[in-house]
Amino acid sequence: MSTATIHWISGPVLRAVSNDTFHIREAVWVGSKGLLGEVVRLKALPESGQELTVQVFEDTTGLRPGDPVQGQGAALSVRLGPGLLGQIFDGLLRPLTGGEERNFLAPGQQPQSDQHFPFQPLVETGRILKGGEPFGLIRAATDTPPRDGLEQQCLVPPTLQGEVVSIAEAGLYSDRAPLCTLQESDGRQHTLAMSHSWPVRTPRPVAERLTIGPPLLTGQRILDCLFPVARGGKATVPGGFGTGKTVLLETIAKWCNADVIIYLGCGERGNEMAGVLDEFPHLEDPRSGRPLMERMVVIANTSNMPVAAREASIYTGVTVAEYFRDQGLHVALMADSTSRWAEALREVSGRLGELPGEGGYPAYLSTRLADFYERAARVQTLSGKGGSVTLIGAVSPPSSDFSEPVTTHTKRYVRNFWALDRKRAHARFYPAIDPLTSYSEDASVLASWWHARGNPNWAAQRRRFLTVLEEQARLERMAMILGKDALPPQQQLVLLVAGLINEGFLRQSAFSSKDRAASPQKQNRMMAILDRFMDLAEQAVANGMSIEQIQTLPLLRRVQRMGEEIGEEELELFTQLEEGMEKAFR
Amino acid sequence: MITANLSLTDATTRIDGPLLFAHRRVDVGLNEAVEVTGSDGHPRLGRIAALDDELMTVEILESTSGLGLRGTRIRFFGEPISFSLGPGILGRVFDGVGRVIDGGPPIATRSRMPVDGAVLNPIRRKKPEDFIETGVSTIDVLNSLVRGQKLPIFSGGGLPHNRLAIEIALHARLRAGQETTETQSPFAIVFAGIGVPFETAEFFRRSLEESGALGRTALFLNLASDSSTQRLLAPRFALTAAEYLAFVEGRHVLVIITDFTNYCEALREVSASHGEIPGRKGYPGYMYSDLATLYERAGSLQGKPGTLTQLPILTMPSDDISHPIPDLTGYITEGQITLNRSLDREGIYPPVGVLPSLSRLMKDGIGPGFTHPDHPALANQLYASYARATQVRLLANVVGSDGLTPDDRRMLTFGQQFEQRFIRQEKARSLEESMNEGWSLLRQLPIGELSRLNDQQIDTYIHGSD
């Protein structure tokens, strides 16, 4: 193992000299506590040996010249295995477990207890396995009915292959215990365990990338119907503070139809993480009936944790997502917030003395963002299954200015843009997504999915809603000059209908038990009702009905509140509402 | 290895701004505390900022004037900057670096804690959900404060933020019937003035004294005349004391820090003197992370009785909420109470600008089992209606109230009434009084405007109690 000696240190950056070999991006242990760091620069010294520059991911208090640096011989890697689901980790995927003795986090390595999982072999000796193929199954230890937890696979690391020469019997094993031995044609042998390491900055290989697939259903009407995102797609949520980014991401994490959720708190609040940990275990996944926490991996790098680890955490998160994707699962990753990651990048870059670009960010910000978002994909895995990683990244633009570098660069790489609007948030209108500045490039791909699932008019209705909302903004500007009374009845009707779309359809309370997540069926019914209302009201106005008359219809309040009043198991009430509507306009 | 209480004389090679370079003749670690004494005999606190084979760089946290290359003594503590704390800190007054300045005896030390604090493990945090009644309607009903929260007051020069902060501190209590043995721990206030004028410091001290609360308060004063590098340490010493009171003594601690704008100015000044690359408006790029290490020290731990609630005050430069200081703060804290200058001009006290205010943890502390089952709906409806009234007011400013529809005119009246009857208050109100005031305001609106209320709430509160 290569070693070096510190000879200069300031903040999280140190320089060390060594006669051994080190590589760029190699992970190192620093000092007696074994702080985790990464080699970022190498320079030959005039005499002999080399000088390495290391960024340390943890608090460096107490380090001094003369302290040792030890190379790990591999790039910064994380251990991927069955113990990830339902757990919470720091930005370097070290579990944040522990009792009272770990009330406060201390830098350095923590002893980790071995976890044991029930293993079931899938192959016999003599079988040839390629990288990425499963050799065993793990059924998560859930004794509680009604249904089993997620079944996980033990994968051959993507870079290895060979003939199975030994395989363990079914039983309870530690996730690091050797279970399977592969022999390559040249005689080299590899021992495999349930878990394996993978370097975080390297995307995991796939057999083939596919075009983006069916929608990632979020249960949020404004997203699913107006600005949908496809599985394997990427979306960004920019918004100033207090516009509801975190609540929106948490809501999607709760109700979206992915198999596994990676929730990445990157430079965010500790109390929010406590809230997630308090709430998610008590919520039930509507599809499996199991606690929602069982399909989650939480990576928490709160704002007061060391900055360099925040820079790494985003890669950690997406690597974990790819690991589950490779098992043939659909994964959604929420990153809150990528701006904090970019700031970490800026800070580390500044300490290394690099030339700053726009807004002080390093010139490679855009490349790094592209690297991250390009890891979203729908793929055929090495073992021939279908899987996907959908990325949803929040952006926190300073002063809510969407022209700042992180927002503009992100916009170049994502296909879906969900802009949060401060005015809506001030009126407590959530989700505060502004329908006029947001867009979804995935919508055109997804229309056929909706058309095949009970709503042949989806694309037309969506277009109509967006047109009405656009028209509303124009008319309101006009009303500012003329006064509302001066608008002709047809235009006043547009304002009324737009209000109804906003109140009755787009607004959706994340805390209402009936309305927090809407099924595609419910969304279809609601869209149809509003669509029909527009037809009827336009007809009525043309026949001489006044706006006041429409405004005082008792039915209007029912339409306004239909989302909150009609639950998933009583969708037939929508038929009653439709009938009532036909009657009211007759 | 000998490190503790070692000193070094005449090792200094260069002094440049706040930085002092010296030969590394003793074994010291990064970030450890030192005391630098010049020939004037005045001790200055510092820390080791960088180390190499021959030299060490000391960052001096106080004024360097009077130091020379000769006759400067550096004393090494062998540990990061720490604060000696004990049960006697309540009722005492300290300067920004934790030295007693009230003329009393020194503090008997029970534990010594590094002022930079340690990171609270997110999984050991307790979810904050104990509703605190502050007596202010706009906070209790619309932006509820809970124990363990960090809720800053965004203010401006000349607005009554100090009066509001002290009133909240003195009135803050759990609601009757909510007290359980677990929540009954003693209460304490930690007040930190960062770069405040003498009058402000005196206002707080006097108010606390008159109300009899000084005995359970620890005061940290970094006056405007003190060194600006010390300003960076004042909140750290104050929060360390608060952590001691909360997590060692098990008290419910309310920390008031004023004024964070001065802190950030000092940060900018020190960063510039280090020759760092400036970010937005000259503030250093790491200001977010730096502020986070302070604000994130609010919270409570599972299985421990104490809580640490922060009420930081900052004055927005030229009332601009998009200025980096309030902007970054808003991204870290759990909401904000914004004070509004035009309400203040109209003589409305407390002049809370309702729309840009927010409490993120409110949802966990209100509703059934906490305050009142209909509290969330009421808050929601008041917000929606007041936002609409504000919009109508904008319209009326252009077209005049004649161009408005009758419904719009009713909204206009609602907006005025809301400000005069709900925001303005002569004395502290209980939550029930505040809620009743809210319902009575909503009663003047047509049912069609009340889309956030369900039918039952309309029957009970709108039709029911005329």
Side-chain angles (χ1 to χ4, degrees):
Chain A
M1 201 172 273
S2 42
T3 55
T5 311
I6 300 179
H7 84 109
W8 178 91
I9 177 154
S10 169
V13 177
L14 63 85
R15 289 201 281 267
V17 285
S18 170
N19 287 318
D20 300 338
T21 318
F22 280 88
H23 298 99
I24 288 289
R25 293 284 177 206
E26 180 174 343
V28 294
W29 284 299
V30 178
S32 52
K33 285 188 207 153
L35 309 179
L36 207 53
E38 193 178 42
V39 179
V40 290
R41 232 177 244 170
L42 288 169
K43 191 173 89 181
L45 291 175
E47 311 279 301
S48 70
Q50 55 182 340
E51 182 190 78
L52 41 145
T53 308
V54 171
Q55 67 161 329
V56 185
F57 293 124
E58 302 182 70
D59 182 19
T60 50
T61 296
L63 285 181
R64 58 199 70 203
D67 280 352
V69 175
Q70 214 172 53
Q72 296 185 11
L76 180 69
S77 303
V78 291
R79 194 142 189 104
L80 303 166
L84 295 171
L85 285 180
Q87 300 299 318
I88 174 167
F89 301 88
D90 75 357
L92 303 168
L93 213 67
R94 296 176 296 190
L96 287 174
T97 46
E100 207 167 314
E101 76 288 351
R102 288 203 75 196
N103 277 346
F104 294 93
L105 295 176
Q109 291 174 344
Q110 301 296 331
Q112 282 172 31
S113 56
D114 259 4
Q115 279 181 290
H116 289 75
F117 299 91
F119 171 80
Q120 230 178 327
L122 275 184
V123 294
E124 287 167 6
T125 50
R127 169 87 179 272
I128 305 285
L129 281 180
K130 287 189 312 216
E133 285 189 322
F135 62 90
L137 276 185
I138 301 145
R139 217 177 276 277
T142 52
D143 334 301
T144 43
R147 272 178 254 180
D148 287 336
L150 197 66
E151 207 169 61
Q152 295 193 61
Q153 297 177 340
C154 309
L155 301 178
V156 178
T159 48
L160 303 181
Q161 54 181 329
E163 184 189 334
V164 179
V165 291
S166 78
I167 177 96
E169 287 172 16
L172 212 58
Y173 295 96
S174 144
D175 66 334
R176 287 163 188 258
L179 296 177
C180 175
T181 311
L182 291 186
Q183 181 165 335
E184 288 201 52
S185 48
D186 58 5
R188 275 188 302 154
Q189 290 204 338
H190 309 288
T191 313
L192 311 180
M194 282 181 205
S195 58
H196 65 264
S197 286
W198 188 260
V200 295
R201 293 182 206 271
T202 314
R204 287 171 66 93
V206 296
E208 195 189 351
R209 275 190 72 149
L210 308 172
T211 50
I212 47 173
L216 178 82
L217 294 174
T218 62
Q220 307 305 302
R221 288 185 289 268
I222 188 162
L223 296 182
D224 288 354
C225 288
L226 296 191
F227 307 108
V229 61
R231 277 183 172 170
K234 39 213 166 199
T236 186
V237 191
F241 65 82
T243 48
K245 282 185 301 298
T246 305
V247 177
L248 181 64
L249 288 195
E250 280 180 17
T251 312
I252 299 175
K254 282 176 202 163
W255 311 120
C256 78
N257 65 342
D259 301 316
V260 172
I261 310 287
I262 317 292
Y263 194 87
L264 176 61
C266 177
E268 284 295 309
R269 307 174 181 86
N271 277 338
E272 268 168 11
M273 286 291 140
V276 167
L277 294 177
D278 184 80
E279 190 182 0
F280 280 57
H282 303 296
L283 290 173
E284 194 178 84
D285 182 353
R287 297 184 307 146
S288 71
R290 311 270 331 159
L292 269 180
M293 197 64 198
E294 281 184 11
R295 63 163 193 175
M296 297 248 318
V297 180
V298 179
I299 297 175
N301 193 267
T302 55
S303 53
N304 51 345
M305 291 187 187
V307 168
R310 199 192 296 165
E311 195 266 326
S313 67
I314 203 157
Y315 300 104
T316 306
V318 73
T319 305
V320 173
E322 287 176 345
Y323 165 71
F324 285 106
R325 175 203 68 191
D326 288 351
Q327 300 180 33
L329 299 169
H330 296 285
V331 186
L333 181 144
M334 330 287 152
D336 185 13
S337 131
T338 56
S339 291
R340 304 298 161 231
W341 165 78
E343 277 167 18
L345 204 64
R346 174 170 69 186
E347 193 174 331
V348 173
S349 152
R351 293 213 188 259
L352 296 174
E354 292 168 344
L355 203 64
E358 194 185 355
Y361 293 102
Y364 49 77
L365 169 71
S366 164
T367 327
R368 292 287 175 85
L369 275 169
D371 286 348
F372 169 66
Y373 279 108
E374 268 311 297
R375 288 174 82 168
R378 193 166 78 90
V379 304
Q380 192 183 22
T381 65
L382 292 176
S383 58
K385 296 203 195 71
S388 68
V389 171
T390 311
L391 294 184
I392 301 174
V395 176
S396 322
S399 329
S400 308
D401 170 15
F402 288 1
S403 65
E404 59 93 36
V406 182
T407 318
T408 50
H409 287 308
T410 304
K411 226 171 161 174
R412 288 165 52 204
Y413 304 116
V414 302
R415 289 166 51 91
N416 305 293
F417 188 75
W418 302 335
L420 297 181
D421 176 34
R422 188 160 264 178
K423 266 212 203 95
R424 286 180 173 241
H426 282 177
R428 298 301 189 259
F429 184 102
Y430 293 121
I433 297 169
D434 178 6
L436 300 183
T437 45
S438 303
Y439 59 77
S440 157
E441 290 182 51
D442 292 353
S444 52
V445 186
L446 299 175
S448 58
W449 186 90
W450 286 93
H451 293 169
R453 274 168 191 73
N455 191 358
N457 301 321
W458 188 80
Q461 286 170 351
R462 171 174 184 269
R463 180 69 9 235
R464 187 176 195 182
F465 282 22
L466 288 173
T467 315
V468 167
L469 292 167
E470 197 116 346
E471 189 72 3
Q472 176 199 26
R474 195 179 64 85
L475 292 176
E476 272 181 353
R477 278 197 299 275
M478 207 141 90
M480 282 295 267
I481 304 165
L482 303 172
K484 253 187 209 168
D485 277 357
L487 298 179
Q490 283 84 359
Q491 294 188 341
Q492 288 195 33
L493 179 67
V494 170
L495 289 180
L496 185 139
V497 169
L500 207 55
I501 292 177
N502 273 319
E503 274 296 323
F505 189 74
L506 301 186
R507 189 168 69 81
Q508 191 172 356
S509 166
F511 308 110
S512 146
S513 55
K514 270 190 185 172
D515 204 27
R516 55 193 181 185
S519 65
Q521 292 75 19
K522 182 172 173 184
Q523 301 192 24
N524 281 341
R525 298 299 295 266
M526 292 176 71
M527 257 180 133
I529 283 188
L530 285 166
D531 193 43
R532 182 71 187 141
F533 180 88
M534 281 186 252
D535 288 343
L536 289 170
E538 272 168 21
Q539 190 66 42
V541 169
N543 291 341
M545 195 168 179
S546 75
I547 297 296
E548 284 73 35
Q549 276 173 307
I550 299 181
Q551 244 164 1
T552 46
L553 289 177
L555 154 114
L556 215 57
R557 189 174 146 80
R558 296 278 80 81
V559 177
Q560 263 179 356
R561 296 187 47 82
M562 63 182 169
E564 259 165 73
E565 286 180 352
I566 303 180
E568 290 293 340
E569 58 297 327
E570 44 189 16
L571 293 182
E572 68 282 356
L573 290 179
F574 280 113
T575 319
Q576 285 180 24
L577 191 58
E578 269 161 14
E579 284 164 2
M581 198 162 73
E582 301 284 343
K583 230 180 267 161
F585 278 104
R586 207 168 291 147
Chain B
M1 205 187 303
I2 315 161
T3 48
N5 281 342
L6 208 64
S7 68
L8 208 58
T9 316
D10 287 343
T12 313
T13 59
R14 186 154 75 97
I15 301 174
D16 187 353
L19 300 181
L20 179 148
F21 300 82
H23 287 295
R24 197 172 75 87
R25 280 196 226 125
V26 288
D27 186 21
V28 289
L30 199 65
N31 267 339
E32 286 179 0
V34 297
E35 194 179 75
V36 179
T37 315
S39 43
D40 54 1
H42 175 63
R44 300 159 176 86
L45 202 58
R47 72 171 120 207
I48 307 288
L51 287 166
D52 66 18
D53 290 335
E54 280 97 47
L55 289 176
M56 62 177 137
T57 311
V58 176
E59 182 191 357
I60 296 177
L61 302 168
E62 295 175 61
S63 160
T64 48
S65 51
L67 287 181
L69 295 184
R70 287 295 187 87
T72 295
R73 202 166 66 94
I74 309 172
R75 195 157 74 91
F76 300 92
F77 292 99
E79 58 170 14
I81 298 176
S82 299
F83 191 9
S84 297
L85 292 155
I89 61 170
L90 288 180
R92 304 298 300 271
V93 185
F94 303 86
D95 72 355
V97 289
R99 294 181 285 228
V100 175
I101 52 168
D102 55 6
I107 304 295
T109 308
R110 187 169 136 194
S111 65
R112 212 168 143 72
M113 298 164 75
V115 297
D116 280 332
V119 176
L120 265 176
N121 187 346
I123 70 155
R124 298 293 306 163
R125 278 181 185 267
K126 192 162 63 192
K127 181 175 162 194
E129 54 186 18
D130 289 332
F131 175 87
I132 301 179
E133 188 181 281
T134 63
V136 180
S137 300
T138 40
I139 295 178
D140 289 348
V141 177
L142 300 176
N143 297 290
S144 316
L145 177 69
V146 294
R147 277 185 173 161
Q149 187 174 12
K150 38 190 180 292
L151 189 66
I153 299 178
F154 285 8
S155 184
L159 294 180
H161 44 262
N162 291 336
R163 180 177 157 198
L164 183 62
I166 203 83
E167 282 179 7
I168 293 174
L170 296 177
H171 188 276
R173 59 178 62 114
L174 292 188
R175 293 174 63 236
Q178 229 186 345
E179 296 275 358
T180 60
T181 43
E182 198 199 335
T183 56
Q184 252 170 1
S185 315
F187 179 72
I189 300 173
V190 170
F191 173 84
I194 312 173
V196 291
F198 172 77
E199 288 75 22
T200 309
E202 196 52 23
F203 166 79
F204 276 100
R205 204 191 55 75
R206 232 188 15 248
S207 308
L208 289 165
E209 196 172 52
E210 281 165 10
S211 68
L214 197 61
R216 48 191 171 107
T217 305
L219 246 77
F220 291 79
L221 296 178
N222 166 273
L223 296 181
S225 51
D226 289 335
S227 101
S228 65
T229 27
Q230 224 188 66
R231 243 157 248 174
L232 302 185
L233 287 173
R236 294 190 160 81
F237 274 91
L239 284 167
T240 307
E243 277 171 353
Y244 165 80
L245 291 169
F247 302 133
V248 179
E249 292 200 357
R251 292 171 190 268
H252 292 299
V253 186
L254 181 70
V255 184
I256 302 175
I257 302 180
T258 182
D259 168 341
F260 256 97
T261 307
N262 294 338
Y263 174 86
C264 295
E265 295 298 337
L267 197 68
R268 175 163 69 174
E269 191 181 326
V270 170
S271 161
S273 73
H274 285 201
E276 290 164 342
I277 300 165
R280 249 195 321 154
K281 295 209 170 168
Y283 294 96
Y286 53 78
M287 192 157 87
Y288 175 85
S289 302
D290 188 273
L291 286 173
T293 57
L294 298 174
Y295 292 135
E296 276 292 322
R297 290 170 83 171
S300 53
L301 283 165
Q302 287 173 29
K304 290 237 179 190
T307 58
L308 201 166
T309 311
Q310 275 191 39
L311 206 64
I313 300 169
L314 60 87
T315 47
M316 299 181 280
S318 22
D319 292 351
D320 176 11
I321 198 168
S322 67
H323 185 280
I325 298 173
D327 192 50
L328 294 180
T329 299
Y331 276 122
I332 306 166
T333 53
E334 283 130 0
Q336 66 277 336
I337 302 295
T338 312
L339 299 192
N340 181 303
R341 195 169 296 277
S342 65
L343 288 178
D344 186 55
R345 273 201 209 106
E346 284 169 42
I348 293 174
Y349 178 86
V352 175
V354 169
L355 295 184
S357 298
L358 171 73
S359 165
R360 290 167 195 272
L361 301 183
M362 168 172 179
K363 61 181 195 315
D364 300 323
I366 65 167
F370 296 100
T371 53
H372 191 281
D374 294 325
H375 184 169
L378 171 67
N380 220 324
Q381 185 62 57
L382 283 173
Y383 255 106
S385 300
Y386 185 55
R388 185 148 136 60
T390 316
Q391 229 177 353
V392 171
R393 190 180 292 172
L394 216 62
L395 190 69
N397 283 345
V398 185
V399 297
S401 53
D402 290 348
L404 299 178
T405 60
D407 267 3
D408 281 358
R409 272 196 287 274
R410 256 198 281 190
M411 286 314 294
L412 206 59
T413 326
F414 168 83
Q416 282 158 355
Q417 296 272 317
F418 180 81
E419 286 166 8
Q420 292 299 336
R421 285 171 44 197
F422 191 81
I423 300 183
R424 180 206 286 271
Q425 52 190 106
E426 306 294 334
K427 59 178 178 54
R429 294 189 191 131
S430 71
L431 177 71
E432 281 67 26
E433 290 168 341
S434 295
M435 284 184 67
N436 287 339
E437 196 62 56
W439 290 120
S440 86
L441 281 166
L442 289 180
R443 245 168 256 147
Q444 36 179 297
L445 292 178
I447 301 298
E449 293 284 353
L450 303 177
S451 65
R452 309 274 173 106
L453 304 181
N454 64 29
D455 291 356
Q456 206 190 346
Q457 284 156 347
I458 287 191
D459 281 347
T460 318
Y461 300 103
I462 306 299
H463 297 317
S465 51
D466 283 318

